[in-house]
Amino acid sequence: MVRPWQGGLWLLLAALLGLCAGRAPAANPGTPPLRDYAIDVWTSREGLPHNSIRAIAQTAEGHLWFATWEGLVRYNGLDFTVFDRGTRPGLLDNGVGTLFIDNQGHLWLSDSRGDVGRFDPASNAWRWWPHQDPAPQVIIQGMQADSQGRLWLLFEGNGLGYLGTDGKMVYQPSPPDMPLTVSYMRLAVDARDRVWVGTFDGLVYRDTDGSFHRAPAGFHLPPGLAWPYMAPDGALWFAAGDGLYRLEDGEAVLKHRVPGQGHLTALLQDRRGELWVGTENNGLFRIGRRGVERFPPSVSIPGGRISSLFEDAEGSIWVGANAGLFRLRETLIANVTRRDGLSGDYTRSVLEDRLGRLWVGSSTGLDVVELDGHIRHYPLPESNGRAPAVLSLAEDREGRLWVGTYGDGVYRIDGANLRHFGFGDNLPAGNIRAITVDEDGTVWLGTQHGVVAMARDQPRLVRTPGVPTGLITALASSRGALWIGTIQGAYLLRDDGQVAHPDLEALGGARTVFGFHRAGADMWISSDRGLYRYRDGQLARVGLEQGMPVDAVFQMVADHDNNVWISSNRGLMRTQMATLNAVAKGRERRIAVEHFNEMDGMANSQGNGSSAPSALVRRDGTVWVATAGGLATLDPVRLDALRERTPPPPVIESVQVDGQPQGWQEAPRLRVPGRSRVSVTYVGLSYLLSERIEYRTRLEGLDSEWIERGRQRNVEFIGLAPGQYILHVSARHPGGRWSEREAVLRFSIAPLWWQRHDVQAIAALALVLLLVALYRFGIQRYKRRNERLAELVRERTQDLQQQAQRLLLANQEKSELLTRLRLRSDAFERQAHEDALTGLPNRRQFDEALARDLSRARRSGRLLSLVILDIDHFKLINDRHSHATGDAVLHEVGALLTAACRASDLPARLGGEEFAILLSDTPAEEAERVCARIRELFHARSDWGGIEGLRVTFSAGVAELREDESGSSLLQRADHALYEAKSDGRDRIRIG
């Protein structure tokens, strides 16, 4: 269950929005503000056995472990596995007190009855030390190891104890003058092996001689709750009252005071040295280089006491609370929203002016983000008691800002001066969705009734013939020409007054244009059917069929590394300009696109079209996109640094043989009976977008190369030959490196009884004896056959005489047979020239007819046209409805062609789903009309092959015989025209 939040303070926003002197190195993205974290929440609804998380740990292989009142929980990033008294292996008690990882990587846990257990991830084995008298049978709240290998145990309200290296538990009750009866769940062992214990009545420590003492008065700790924390760098911290103290040279030094937060209950120092602090009932905050950062009350996080804080191997912060588990992870994308000071979240346009300020147009007016990150609302004169909705922004050559609105005309901001151009100034009524400034400084407005040029502050409606007069959705000035986007496509107003209308609809069906992007001599057009490239008067398209995740794309911008960012209703996409051009040119068939949405931090993945500019790349390299949930922003450098994280370590989760779970970790090699089905489940232990992890496997003994499995988390082997096998599993994040560390499973397949060597030796001996017996039997049989031979000679002589008579009769039958063979030969001759399935002439007869008609046309000068047509998507008919249905469709096509053609035409089946028609005395235009008439007959049918609703179309290429042209050239031209028909979307006729 994911509930991402992004919001921040002015200081944080300034850090993101300020102009940078240089770009941050990818290897060190720095400490992100809280706005760049998303919060993921898990409760009992998502699989936790209990909502109170008492402790969190991570073992070396990567699993996360959670201590709850209803068992121990293991998490692999996708699934929770619960261990309790009812599982195998099971716990001694469900109530888990705390967790601890020792230097050997073992996981230790305590329970509510004073028991201690140890889990070894390498062998998947548990070992238990049940409660030992005189230790109390109560929950063990804390565990830490000292330098001597003793595991110190904090018994709730009952003093201390330790588990020695000999396995014996030693208990030391609380002295009468020590407040261990009101102990708190924190325990720490310092470098001198002193054991520090938190209580509700001050800090207590046990010295190495076994004596207990209160914290020295010189520490100046306030009375009440105080407890220790040992940081990863070895520093010992104390939380007491509203202060955080660090032990330095034997003195407790106050480092931070956080008044008004209530009881401090948990502390974590992360890998960057920042302090995360949990409280009793005031949530979580962080202390670091940005000061004290808190989540606002609007952020929904689990309530109650924060009991545990933990940083995992990937840098995410895990928080255990009384009401659930939540995690803070860095997001790839940050957001600037109303919570940060915008006047509204439904943003429509964003522009960086020459001073580096960011202007934001939204449905609730105009905002400006100053250089210091402060956001202020720029008041525009209200109409009908509301701020004008801003749709478009542009800056002219004098640095003046032009603001287009939904229904309130255009505003021009020149420093402190504001001028309004309304409908009384000859400006057409309606909304203004686009503004552009050309090389001469002329400001062009896209209105609801055409294009307006601002000439000497006077709006002038462009009435050039061919210029659209309806709703203008996009404008762009490029090399003296004006590009115009509408809901009927794109127009180009050249400097000589000529208007061109590139036919987008003919190439992919686009109608609405949302934006333009110039890249060198090319103009890229964003539309409701993907991207179009206009180059030297020619259009090329990159859309859904070429791998774009969506149809409608709004704005395309290029960053400093020549990456292309594309906004849409379903998030933000990134690809490379070189890749776009390769697909547009046809060198590559599909485009590789990275897709970003809410899972990557966007508050709302819905971008905005028909407003401009709806996306931009600032001078500092950051990308900004207007969305329905505020501004989404990211730094490509920081994005690449976050995405280049360590590959997830793979682990084997389970092994089953014929559906039965196996203890595969208990022996060096798992023995599997022959002919068994071996199923292996694995997982990559990453907790950042775990569902996107990709896997590959290699079975040593079977596979010579790695086999990529995509996101598949299991592999199955059936019928493996007897022998030794090693399964290797590797994992990676999408687009990242494969993990060098592999998950390995060793197993052997036992031979069946008949595959055993002793059985095979016995079988070989038996075979030799059998051959000897057969040889002797053959000799005896040979003698008996010689004796019979003489008798057979006599009998055969009589038979020969009788056969002479029969031969005479056979000669007569032979003559009759020759007559029948002659008739059958004639039938075979017909079959050699006829397609058995359709009844049409086959390729052989077609070739003969083509040669004949070609010779006749050359002699007489008559016209000859050739049509080659191909059934569209015929393979899908076979795959979805069976080959029998496909044969029926081919038969019906043959019948339709026979009926539709003239007696002088020759329809033929060339093979598969390809047909041809030879049309004598017919020009190409007439042949095209014949194809169109046949196409209408195809469209009229909806029950091809006897399947109701099955429609069949074809693509056709037409070629007319040229003077001195060969038959192969005529075929090649018709075939090329057919290819063009298919490339243009199928169900089309093209003349070659």
Side-chain angles (χ1 to χ4, degrees):
M1 179 177 180
V2 179
R3 304 173 186 167
W5 170 84
Q6 283 119 356
L9 305 172
W10 299 119
L11 179 61
L12 308 182
L13 188 58
L16 274 176
L17 300 179
L19 291 173
C20 301
R23 302 178 69 184
N28 182 19
T31 302
L34 283 184
R35 64 176 300 107
D36 287 350
Y37 284 86
I39 297 180
D40 306 323
V41 181
W42 295 267
T43 66
S44 54
R45 292 184 178 181
E46 286 72 48
L48 287 173
H50 195 276
N51 286 332
S52 181
I53 309 298
R54 296 182 54 82
I56 307 172
Q58 186 172 27
T59 42
E61 83 286 353
H63 280 109
L64 283 171
W65 301 82
F66 308 113
T68 79
W69 286 110
E70 291 297 333
L72 177 67
V73 181
R74 186 181 68 191
Y75 186 49
N76 62 13
L78 296 170
D79 306 307
F80 292 108
T81 302
V82 179
F83 300 89
D84 56 25
R85 294 185 65 241
T87 60
R88 292 293 179 270
L91 307 185
L92 299 183
D93 187 74
N94 286 351
V96 181
T98 190
L99 302 174
F100 173 69
I101 305 292
D102 66 18
N103 292 334
Q104 289 74 43
H106 299 138
L107 172 70
W108 293 81
L109 84 156
S110 63
D111 65 25
S112 62
R113 294 174 179 259
D115 306 312
V116 176
R118 186 185 70 189
F119 175 72
D120 183 2
S123 62
N124 200 38
W126 284 92
R127 182 181 177 186
W128 291 96
W129 289 265
H131 159 263
Q132 301 175 23
D133 290 329
Q137 199 169 3
V138 297
I139 188 170
I140 298 174
Q141 294 180 300
M143 287 192 298
Q144 288 293 324
D146 64 15
S147 63
Q148 302 176 44
R150 296 176 297 184
L151 184 66
W152 286 92
L153 312 173
L154 175 59
F155 295 91
E156 183 180 32
N158 283 272
L160 279 174
Y162 66 84
L163 183 66
T165 55
D166 58 0
K168 293 182 179 180
M169 192 175 294
V170 178
Y171 173 65
Q172 188 172 2
S174 172
D177 58 340
M178 290 293 114
L180 293 181
T181 55
V182 287
S183 60
Y184 184 65
M185 54 186 294
R186 299 285 179 239
L187 176 72
V189 180
D190 65 16
R192 295 166 51 186
D193 279 350
R194 292 181 297 180
V195 182
W196 297 82
V197 181
T199 80
F200 285 92
D201 187 18
L203 191 65
V204 173
Y205 72 93
R206 178 194 182 276
D207 214 334
T208 53
D209 60 3
S211 60
F212 285 89
H213 307 274
R214 286 183 177 270
F219 280 13
H220 302 294
L221 301 181
L225 175 64
W227 47 271
Y229 166 71
M230 183 63 70
D233 60 3
L236 183 60
W237 289 80
F238 305 125
D242 60 0
L244 293 173
Y245 302 77
R246 188 169 66 193
L247 189 63
E248 298 178 356
D249 298 327
E251 298 292 333
V253 180
L254 178 63
K255 292 296 183 179
H256 305 284
R257 188 174 295 280
V258 283
Q261 305 301 326
H263 288 310
L264 308 182
T265 57
L267 184 61
L268 170 70
Q269 178 179 295
D270 66 21
R271 63 188 62 188
R272 297 185 177 102
E274 311 274 308
L275 290 178
W276 299 78
V277 187
T279 67
E280 177 70 24
N281 50 26
N282 280 305
L284 177 72
F285 60 92
R286 183 174 70 176
I287 304 173
R289 64 186 182 91
R290 291 183 172 85
V292 179
E293 298 176 87
R294 291 191 57 84
F295 296 103
S298 59
V299 177
S300 177
I301 59 176
R305 179 194 307 121
I306 291 178
S307 303
S308 52
L309 292 170
F310 182 78
E311 182 181 25
D312 68 17
E314 296 174 303
S316 295
I317 306 300
W318 295 80
V319 184
N322 282 354
L325 170 72
F326 64 101
R327 175 188 61 184
L328 285 79
R329 59 179 170 88
E330 295 183 43
T331 59
L332 304 178
I333 299 175
N335 300 276
V336 180
T337 66
R338 186 172 183 178
R339 200 181 293 131
D340 301 300
L342 291 182
S343 57
D345 282 339
Y346 198 85
T347 56
R348 302 300 301 264
S349 53
V350 57
L351 173 78
E352 183 181 29
D353 65 18
R354 62 184 60 186
L355 299 178
R357 298 175 299 181
L358 199 68
W359 295 85
V360 184
S362 70
S363 60
T364 50
L366 180 66
D367 299 304
V368 57
V369 183
E370 301 289 359
L371 297 182
D372 61 359
H374 181 76
I375 301 177
R376 64 181 175 87
H377 180 66
Y378 192 97
L380 298 175
E382 296 184 355
S383 60
N384 300 323
R386 60 170 180 79
V390 176
L391 299 179
S392 53
L393 299 167
E395 186 180 28
D396 64 19
R397 296 172 61 181
E398 286 76 32
R400 299 175 298 185
L401 183 72
W402 293 79
V403 183
T405 68
Y406 182 76
D408 295 278
V410 176
Y411 295 87
R412 186 181 68 195
I413 301 173
D414 184 5
N417 299 318
L418 176 68
R419 178 167 179 180
H420 178 242
F421 299 91
F423 308 129
D425 301 304
N426 296 324
L427 193 65
N431 50 65
I432 297 173
R433 296 182 175 272
I435 308 175
T436 191
V437 181
D438 65 17
E439 290 84 348
D440 298 329
T442 303
V443 177
W444 300 83
L445 309 177
T447 76
Q448 202 161 348
H449 299 284
V451 180
V452 169
M454 297 296 295
R456 297 177 182 176
D457 292 344
Q458 293 296 320
R460 176 180 59 83
L461 186 64
V462 178
R463 302 185 183 278
T464 303
V467 172
T469 58
L471 175 64
I472 306 301
T473 56
L475 288 174
S477 174
S478 176
R479 300 187 174 187
L482 182 68
W483 285 88
I484 306 168
T486 73
I487 57 176
Q488 279 86 34
Y491 295 81
L492 178 59
L493 175 60
R494 296 191 173 92
D495 53 3
D496 59 1
Q498 298 297 313
V499 178
H501 181 36
D503 195 354
L504 306 183
E505 190 169 10
L507 182 61
R511 290 184 58 82
T512 301
V513 171
F514 296 111
F516 298 100
H517 174 75
R518 188 177 73 182
D522 300 337
M523 179 61 74
W524 286 88
I525 305 169
S526 305
S527 76
D528 58 350
R529 287 296 184 269
L531 292 171
Y532 288 80
R533 187 188 69 182
Y534 184 84
R535 173 184 289 180
D536 299 330
Q538 299 296 319
L539 282 173
R541 176 173 173 266
V542 181
L544 200 64
E545 298 81 357
Q546 289 75 37
M548 291 290 288
V550 297
D551 254 334
V553 294
F554 297 147
Q555 187 78 42
M556 170 178 164
V557 294
D559 66 18
H560 296 169
D561 295 322
N562 211 27
N563 292 313
V564 174
W565 298 85
I566 306 163
S567 65
S568 73
N569 269 331
R570 298 184 186 176
L572 187 61
M573 293 163 283
R574 178 171 76 167
T575 187
Q576 293 185 335
M577 181 62 75
T579 305
L580 273 177
N581 281 315
V583 175
K585 195 171 182 179
R587 292 197 305 267
E588 296 182 16
R589 296 184 60 185
R590 295 185 65 81
I591 187 170
V593 176
E594 295 178 88
H595 196 182
F596 305 91
N597 51 31
E598 285 93 341
M599 292 190 67
D600 301 293
M602 294 185 74
N604 192 313
S605 63
Q606 177 186 326
N608 280 315
S610 298
S611 56
S614 60
L616 66 85
V617 175
R618 301 190 70 186
R619 289 190 286 275
D620 64 1
T622 55
V623 180
W624 295 76
V625 181
T627 77
L631 288 177
T633 176
L634 60 89
D635 183 349
V637 174
R638 180 171 171 270
L639 171 68
D640 291 336
L642 289 176
R643 294 174 72 86
E644 292 174 4
R645 53 186 179 266
T646 303
V651 295
I652 303 295
E653 287 273 281
S654 65
V655 179
Q656 293 186 345
V657 175
D658 291 335
Q660 298 300 314
Q662 303 294 310
W664 57 276
Q665 290 176 313
E666 299 172 0
R669 187 179 297 272
L670 178 67
R671 290 187 56 83
V672 179
R675 285 189 177 178
S676 296
R677 185 179 74 253
V678 181
S679 303
V680 182
T681 301
Y682 43 81
V683 68
L685 292 179
S686 171
Y687 303 93
L688 299 175
L689 305 178
S690 309
E691 66 282 351
R692 298 186 183 180
I693 294 175
E694 299 173 351
Y695 301 92
R696 64 177 182 175
T697 66
R698 180 172 63 88
L699 184 60
E700 192 174 326
L702 178 67
D703 302 325
S704 58
E705 297 180 350
W706 287 95
I707 299 174
E708 296 195 11
R709 303 286 181 179
R711 299 178 184 176
Q712 177 183 327
R713 287 183 49 226
N714 65 286
V715 65
E716 190 171 273
F717 303 100
I718 302 175
L720 288 175
Q724 309 291 328
Y725 295 93
I726 303 177
L727 175 65
H728 301 264
V729 181
S730 181
R732 71 175 180 183
H733 294 290
R737 295 177 290 110
W738 288 107
S739 59
E740 295 181 4
R741 168 183 159 187
E742 302 170 356
V744 176
L745 173 67
R746 292 176 170 82
F747 64 96
S748 60
I749 301 295
L752 300 174
W753 67 267
W754 48 268
Q755 295 173 319
R756 290 164 43 192
H757 294 306
D758 55 347
V759 173
Q760 291 175 347
I762 295 173
L765 179 60
L767 179 61
V768 171
L769 295 175
L770 178 61
L771 290 175
V772 172
L774 289 175
Y775 174 76
R776 296 185 63 181
F777 174 76
I779 293 297
Q780 295 297 325
R781 186 179 180 185
Y782 176 74
K783 291 179 179 180
R784 290 195 298 270
R785 292 186 63 180
N786 280 339
E787 294 173 354
R788 295 185 54 193
L789 182 60
E791 180 65 19
L792 287 175
V793 170
R794 184 183 61 80
E795 294 175 353
R796 292 297 173 85
T797 301
Q798 296 177 354
D799 292 340
L800 287 174
Q801 295 173 350
Q802 296 174 359
Q803 288 176 8
Q805 296 296 325
R806 289 196 294 269
L807 285 175
L808 294 175
L809 296 174
N811 186 49
Q812 182 179 355
E813 293 174 355
K814 175 183 175 182
S815 300
E816 296 174 355
L817 179 60
L818 288 174
T819 302
R820 290 196 298 270
L821 287 175
R822 191 180 305 109
L823 296 175
R824 184 170 296 178
S825 175
D826 295 337
F828 285 159
E829 180 67 20
R830 290 194 303 273
Q831 292 176 5
H833 290 77
E834 182 180 281
D835 178 65
L837 180 60
T838 61
L840 295 174
N842 59 13
R843 179 60 184 258
R844 179 177 177 182
Q845 185 173 352
F846 169 81
D847 290 340
E848 295 173 357
L850 175 61
R852 182 186 64 245
D853 290 354
L854 196 66
S855 176
R856 183 183 301 163
R858 287 171 178 164
R859 292 195 308 271
S860 62
R862 294 182 178 180
L863 298 174
L864 177 64
S865 289
L866 170 64
V867 175
I868 297 180
L869 60 88
D870 188 276
I871 306 302
D872 294 330
H873 302 298
F874 182 75
K875 184 176 183 301
L876 292 178
I877 297 175
N878 283 334
D879 293 344
R880 294 177 178 174
H881 300 286
S882 79
H883 287 274
T885 301
D887 290 346
V889 169
L890 292 175
H891 180 75
E892 293 170 0
V893 168
L896 189 148
L897 293 179
T898 301
C901 290
R902 302 171 301 183
S904 60
D905 300 334
L906 177 71
R909 181 188 180 195
L910 301 184
E913 62 271 24
E914 191 176 33
F915 297 81
I917 305 176
L918 273 175
L919 300 102
S920 302
D921 301 321
T922 305
E925 292 75 14
E926 178 62 28
E928 183 181 23
R929 286 191 291 272
V930 171
C931 291
R933 185 173 69 252
I934 297 174
R935 183 168 172 260
E936 290 174 359
L937 295 174
F938 269 64
H939 287 178
R941 293 197 60 171
S942 61
D943 59 343
W944 287 88
I947 304 298
E948 188 65 28
L950 178 60
R951 296 182 177 276
V952 176
T953 63
F954 68 84
S955 302
V958 180
E960 182 179 340
L961 182 66
R962 297 172 180 172
E963 186 175 355
D964 297 329
E965 185 177 35
S966 67
S968 60
S969 174
L970 179 64
L971 275 168
Q972 185 176 4
R973 288 197 297 114
D975 194 66
H976 184 71
L978 171 63
Y979 177 78
E980 290 183 350
K982 285 190 170 292
S983 298
D984 289 345
R986 294 184 170 83
D987 194 18
R988 284 166 172 74
I989 303 164
R990 293 291 182 267
I991 298 179

